[in-house]
């Protein structure tokens, strides 16, 4: 259900009709998988430089990405 939701961009209502489950069940399952993926990402995604002292040029020069990497 999670992969279908992500791939198609389906709403909760569309998922209810597709998989014949309640909206509450769809939401609960989606949140469980999303939480697990976030925990997994913390273990898998590691920086090459643990101090994050430099930002790659492609990110630094792109206004779409850079606001997320500015030091506040």
């Amino acid at each position: 259900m999670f992969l279908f939701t992500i791939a198609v961009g389906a709403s909760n209502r569309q998922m209810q009709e597709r998989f014949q489950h309640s909206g509450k069940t769809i939401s609960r399952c989606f949140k469980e998988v999303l939480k697990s993926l976030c925990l997994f990402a913390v273990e898998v995604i590691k920086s090459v430089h643990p101090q994050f002292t430099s930002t790659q040029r492609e990110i630094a020069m792109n206004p779409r990405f850079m606001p997320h990497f500015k030091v506040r």
Side-chain angles (χ1 to χ4, degrees):
M1 284 192 291
F2 181 85
L3 291 177
F4 183 83
T5 303
I6 298 299
V8 177
S11 66
N12 188 300
R13 171 59 75 186
Q14 291 169 327
M15 296 300 294
Q16 289 176 42
E17 292 177 21
R18 171 82 165 103
F19 292 101
Q20 297 297 303
H21 289 290
S22 72
K24 187 175 180 178
T25 301
I26 298 292
S27 292
R28 183 174 28 86
C29 291
F30 186 87
K31 287 177 186 177
E32 286 178 18
V33 174
L34 183 60
K35 183 178 177 181
S36 297
L37 284 176
C38 289
L39 292 172
F40 181 64
V42 171
E43 295 295 321
V44 173
I45 302 171
K46 303 285 183 185
S47 172
V48 174
H49 191 280
Q51 300 300 321
F52 292 107
T53 56
S54 64
T55 303
Q56 289 184 353
R57 181 180 165 91
E58 294 84 15
I59 293 173
M61 300 304 287
N62 190 330
R64 181 175 162 211
F65 300 122
M66 195 52 204
H68 303 288
F69 291 91
K70 287 184 181 175
V71 177
R72 291 184 162 95

